[in-house]
Amino acid sequence: MIEWFNQIQWEYLYDPELAWNSVPVLLEGLKITMIIAFFSMFFALILGILIGIMSMSKLLFLRMPAKIYISFMRGTPLLVFLFILYYGIPVLGVEFRSPIVAAIVGMSMNFAAYNAEVIRSAIMSVPRGQWEASASLQMGYIQTLRRIIIPQATRIALPPTFNIFMDIIKGTSLASIITVQELLYSSRLVAGRTFDSMTMYITAAIIYWIVCIILGYFQDRLEKRYNRYLSVR
Amino acid sequence: MIKVEALKKQFDDLTVLESIDFSVKKGEVVCLIGPSGSGKTTLLRCLNLLEIPNNGTISISNKTVVFDKKAPTKKEMLALRSFSGMVFQGFHLFPHKTVIENIIEAPLTVKKKKKLELINEGEQLLEKVGMFEHRNKYPDALSGGQQQRAAIARALMMEPEVMLFDEPTSALDPQLVREVLKVIEKLAKEGQTMVIVTHEMNFARRIADRVLFMDNGYIIEEGPANEVLEQPKEKRTKQFLQLLDDTE
Ligand SMILES: Nc1ncnc2c1ncn2[C@@H]1O[C@H](COP(=O)(O)OP(=O)(O)OP(=O)(O)O)[C@@H](O)[C@H]1O
Ligand SMILES: [Mg+2]
């Protein structure tokens, strides 16, 4: 065991100096990653709320398109969808000016389906008695949704929504395949030049991890805020 | 105050209320009793329009709504609903709001009253139901009895002409039942018109001006509490009361 440990040539596995020197390049990539992630989270959430509410509607012409949309987006790989957007759509004469925009559009549309499902299940998990109590107090649909149901559903939706957010951050790496120069792309660039892929990919992994840790910190704070009305037992 | 005529309610092919007729005078306390599944909850929910009856007429205060194949307009139903307040078996307080926030929520957002006045008003009401000291607690930190008293205050804040109670104490531990019944008795003394579904026969005997016995979708017997509960005329009322005596 110890022998095996001593045999490993650590400098081939991880070269801290190279990692340190490549930080500026990687940060450039991280900037693109964060831009894609941020806009994708934002639009995926907004679109998800809309589609989620539509998917609960009593009206078939609202519910049906939402259901089909969710089914399609959940049932197709994100990468395939990105390919379709980036390489396929130009055939129709519409072209994304930058692959970044294609990535944002693709990720927003894809992850909106997951957000929609989270939002639907969170709203449905608020007990029916809450709707009835509100109705009997003469509160209207929108008022009840806004002041009674959504605050309670938010608490339930927070953890799965942050899972989706983390998937979005990690999912941005797929954009490298449609030539977006984000974090993974930059690490591959340096790796190609220095022939040290291991160092670069480990560094990239650590950076993704740190970003997710920061996101997790916000999740924690939000959860605490939304759980404050529950007494500890 | 309340007048119900030929009220009918079906769920798909199950007819729960066949034809219900009764009336309640202003200031009267009416207890509704009957076996499980006889439609007591459904009747109360129809009065508050949480269920929409298939047929019949409901009048509360000066509002009359006729139910027919063509459902009445939303506006009409909201107007009718505004005369009654409902207290549920399971309380249904808003868990993310404190007691005081719970009870001012509806008057604040529906009636658009001023918050400061409402807090004032609400605190007085909480004093009355013995919940003043708990006004800043969340429902989760309260006992069932306390939650139900807060729920009563919440319904009262909308100043309904009639209060509807659906088994207000049957979700409570036995030692908590009394505190809730005492609050309801207090309201009775103040002349609040109330319809109460209950299995607490002693309570009904004490508080009710009139008792209605329901079975199979009809009101089978009605009269002053001591008559219906002590000397029932109908066979099914007798059977029902006998069964309760046996289990007690
Ligand atoms: N939303 C609904 N859909 C279908 N059936 C229903 C619905 N609500 C009530 N029922 C049925 O209507 C009947 C009467 O129910 P209801 O709750 O009014 O009885 P109850 O007299 O309040 O009984 P309990 O004493 O057990 O509370 C029952 O058979 C019940 O299964
Ligand atoms: Mg019932």
Side-chain angles (χ1 to χ4, degrees):
Chain A
M1 182 72 186
I2 291 173
E3 216 170 290
W4 168 80
F5 195 80
N6 285 334
Q7 266 176 9
I8 298 177
Q9 294 175 288
W10 289 104
E11 64 275 19
Y12 286 122
L13 195 63
Y14 197 77
D15 177 352
E17 205 185 321
L18 170 61
W20 181 248
N21 289 335
S22 62
V23 161
V25 183
L26 295 186
L27 285 185
E28 276 305 301
L30 180 64
K31 211 167 76 189
I32 307 292
T33 290
M34 291 314 290
I35 287 172
I36 299 176
F38 179 79
F39 282 106
S40 301
M41 285 183 210
F42 180 76
F43 291 122
L45 193 61
I46 302 293
L47 201 60
I49 290 172
L50 206 77
I51 295 169
I53 289 177
M54 275 170 69
S55 75
M56 284 182 291
S57 172
K58 278 189 219 130
L59 306 170
L60 193 70
F61 75 95
L62 288 178
R63 192 177 67 236
M64 208 47 195
K67 290 278 184 200
I68 293 172
Y69 182 91
I70 291 169
S71 162
F72 178 76
M73 287 301 177
R74 292 208 308 170
T76 48
L78 174 56
L79 186 56
V80 174
F81 188 58
L82 290 180
F83 280 164
I84 294 175
L85 278 182
Y86 192 59
Y87 299 115
I89 299 281
V91 178
L92 304 176
V94 201
E95 205 165 333
F96 286 106
R97 261 206 271 127
S98 93
I100 296 181
V101 176
I104 291 173
V105 171
M107 303 238 314
S108 303
M109 288 180 68
N110 191 269
F111 283 103
Y114 296 92
N115 274 326
E117 282 292 271
V118 165
I119 282 151
R120 183 181 65 86
S121 63
I123 288 181
M124 295 211 335
S125 72
V126 176
R128 211 177 48 147
Q130 294 290 307
W131 286 99
E132 295 188 339
S134 310
S136 91
L137 291 164
Q138 304 166 45
M139 295 172 69
Y141 176 77
I142 298 290
Q143 218 166 31
T144 304
L145 202 61
R146 196 166 64 82
R147 304 209 26 124
I148 307 300
I149 306 300
I150 288 181
Q152 294 181 59
T154 304
R155 185 181 79 79
I156 297 161
L158 270 179
T161 300
F162 271 87
N163 275 346
I164 294 173
F165 284 176
M166 287 189 189
D167 277 344
I168 288 179
I169 287 177
K170 294 180 290 181
T172 53
S173 58
L174 289 178
S176 65
I177 303 176
I178 56 167
T179 74
V180 176
Q181 305 188 4
E182 43 65 82
L183 178 55
L184 180 60
Y185 191 97
S186 315
S187 359
R188 214 164 51 204
L189 216 65
V190 181
R193 273 206 308 262
T194 58
F195 303 106
D196 187 351
S197 331
M198 215 40 168
T199 297
M200 293 320 296
Y201 292 146
I202 289 176
T203 310
I206 290 170
I207 294 177
Y208 282 114
W209 188 20
I210 290 172
V211 172
C212 286
I213 288 173
I214 294 170
L215 195 64
Y217 166 78
F218 285 112
Q219 171 178 355
D220 244 36
R221 286 198 23 182
L222 275 173
E223 278 186 27
K224 284 216 179 70
R225 199 166 105 204
Y226 275 89
N227 282 335
R228 71 177 186 279
Y229 58 79
L230 299 175
S231 35
V232 263
R233 292 192 191 167
Chain B
M1 177 63 65
I2 305 182
K3 194 164 172 60
V4 172
E5 285 169 296
L7 198 72
K8 180 172 179 166
K9 175 65 189 173
Q10 288 176 303
F11 293 110
D12 300 320
D13 23 321
L14 176 73
T15 305
V16 177
L17 305 179
E18 293 280 358
S19 181
I20 299 285
D21 295 88
F22 73 96
S23 56
V24 178
K25 289 201 280 288
K26 191 172 168 62
E28 205 178 16
V29 177
V30 170
C31 281
L32 193 56
I33 62 171
S36 183
S38 56
K40 307 179 294 294
T41 296
T42 306
L43 175 53
L44 223 52
R45 288 168 61 87
C46 283
L47 293 179
N48 196 236
L49 291 171
L50 291 174
E51 304 288 355
I52 299 172
N54 297 79
N55 273 298
T57 309
I58 300 178
S59 310
I60 304 180
S61 194
N62 55 16
K63 181 79 197 166
T64 299
V65 177
V66 179
F67 298 88
D68 212 326
K69 284 216 180 51
K70 191 169 135 290
T73 63
K74 217 169 172 176
K75 203 173 148 212
E76 265 194 299
M77 293 205 281
L78 279 174
L80 185 66
R81 177 183 274 162
S82 73
F83 292 113
S84 62
M86 182 99 171
V87 174
F88 301 88
Q89 198 173 339
F91 333 131
H92 303 331
L93 289 175
F94 306 133
H96 58 303
K97 292 184 181 287
T98 62
V99 168
I100 188 78
E101 287 168 349
N102 258 277
I103 73 170
I104 68 170
E105 174 66 19
L108 190 70
T109 57
V110 177
K111 293 190 173 170
K112 311 254 190 280
K113 286 199 196 170
K114 289 221 176 60
K115 190 163 179 180
L116 276 178
E117 285 167 26
L118 283 171
I119 289 176
N120 220 324
E121 216 177 293
E123 287 183 345
Q124 281 172 25
L125 202 50
L126 287 176
E127 187 73 69
K128 190 156 99 184
V129 301
M131 286 294 293
F132 181 76
E133 56 183 319
H134 303 299
R135 67 192 178 285
N136 291 323
K137 291 189 185 162
Y138 288 101
D140 197 46
L142 301 174
S143 74
Q146 291 166 338
Q147 290 190 50
Q148 192 59 299
R149 286 184 281 145
I152 293 171
R154 182 178 66 173
L156 286 170
M157 278 299 278
M158 292 302 273
E159 300 171 322
E161 303 269 334
V162 185
M163 283 285 281
L164 309 170
F165 294 82
D166 186 13
E167 300 193 37
T169 59
S170 35
L172 299 178
D173 292 339
Q175 74 273 18
L176 302 178
V177 168
R178 257 174 60 91
E179 63 186 56
V180 173
L181 296 185
K182 268 166 76 182
V183 167
I184 300 175
E185 284 193 63
K186 210 169 179 178
L187 295 177
K189 287 214 183 75
E190 291 174 3
Q192 172 78 51
T193 313
M194 299 192 275
V195 179
I196 306 168
V197 174
T198 185
H199 288 298
E200 305 273 342
M201 290 307 147
N202 289 325
F203 170 68
R205 205 169 283 134
R206 233 178 21 248
I207 194 176
D209 296 312
R210 216 144 40 87
V211 170
L212 312 182
F213 175 73
M214 240 181 110
D215 198 12
N216 288 332
Y218 292 97
I219 289 173
I220 294 188
E221 183 163 358
E222 66 167 281
N226 51 359
E227 277 177 29
V228 176
L229 298 177
E230 311 303 338
Q231 297 132 351
K233 293 193 194 70
E234 298 292 327
K235 195 161 139 247
R236 266 184 285 177
T237 321
K238 280 180 200 161
Q239 281 170 348
F240 172 72
L241 293 170
Q242 186 64 49
L243 214 65
L244 280 186
D245 281 346
D246 289 351
T247 51
E248 258 166 24

